[in-house]
């Protein structure tokens, strides 16, 4: 049962560990500049959940308020970026985990690209997934359902 699945993850130094109950609402690539800066990476993959699905099992991250109502968590010891978190609209409080911090990232393949217009042009995206210039609110691509940024 997907609703029974538990996903674990954490930072590089293992000071911060987390567990998530249930399946993700979305798994996306985000090409926005804020995610790029936060992660120090050309693009990030994010698995989105209701905030209530997440609990920290060791340590606590520090959360940087990157804009009004938006937090970005990282480990205060090793610096690993961990989340985007904020208002998910109809979903309510939402958190997106950086897929690279999951213990089994292989299991979380993204289903679309968002903020594609902000991508680095030298980063060649060689897949056939949908590409959206802004956050995509579902409809034609339910797998990309999620909050406005
Ligand atoms: Zn750490
Ligand atoms: Zn982003």
């Amino acid at each position: 049962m997907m609703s029974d699945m538990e996903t674990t993850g954490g930072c590089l130094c293992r000071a911060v560990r987390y567990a998530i109950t249930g399946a993700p609402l979305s798994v996306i690539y985000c090409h926005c500049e804020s995610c790029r800066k936060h992660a120090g990476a050309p693009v990030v993959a994010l698995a989105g959940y209701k905030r209530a699905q997440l609990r920290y099992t060791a340590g606590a991250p520090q959360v940087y308020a990157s804009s009004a109502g938006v937090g970005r968590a990282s480990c205060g010891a090793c610096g690993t970026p961990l989340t985007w978190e904020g208002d998910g609209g109809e979903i309510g409080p939402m958190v997106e985990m950086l897929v690279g911090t999951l213990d089994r990232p292989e299991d979380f393949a993204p289903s679309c690209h968002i903020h594609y217009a902000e991508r680095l042009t030298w980063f060649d995206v060689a897949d056939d997934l949908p590409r959206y210039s802004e956050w995509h609110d579902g409809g034609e691509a339910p797998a990309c359902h999620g909050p406005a940024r």
Side-chain angles (χ1 to χ4, degrees):
M1 290 279 291
M2 290 291 278
S3 60
D4 293 336
M5 75 183 274
E6 179 162 278
T7 299
T8 57
C11 67
L12 179 61
C13 78
R14 302 185 72 85
V16 178
R17 294 285 302 163
Y18 61 80
I20 301 163
T21 303
L25 303 169
S26 58
V27 184
I28 61 170
Y29 287 110
C30 188
H31 295 266
C32 86
E33 183 179 16
S34 295
C35 284
R36 182 156 63 236
K37 287 281 192 186
H38 179 60
V43 59
V44 299
L46 299 166
Y49 299 88
K50 293 181 179 179
R51 179 62 183 82
Q53 290 176 261
L54 168 70
R55 69 183 191 281
Y56 287 99
T57 55
Q62 57 184 26
V63 181
Y64 169 68
S66 61
S67 60
V70 174
R72 291 174 182 274
S74 60
C75 173
C78 71
T80 300
L82 294 164
T83 76
W84 174 98
E85 47 200 72
D87 179 16
E90 292 180 3
I91 296 167
M94 198 172 163
V95 62
E96 291 186 296
M97 312 310 297
L98 274 80
V99 167
T101 70
L102 300 173
D103 290 339
R104 298 181 59 177
E106 285 279 3
D107 295 347
F108 295 81
S111 59
C112 69
H113 296 266
I114 67 163
H115 294 291
Y116 190 68
E118 294 183 46
R119 77 190 183 282
L120 297 180
T121 56
W122 50 253
F123 186 84
D124 183 21
V125 177
D127 63 39
D128 295 324
L129 299 175
R131 289 139 164 74
Y132 302 107
S133 290
E134 303 293 337
W135 179 258
H136 189 73
D137 66 357
E140 62 197 270
C144 295
H145 183 76
R149 295 290 140 145

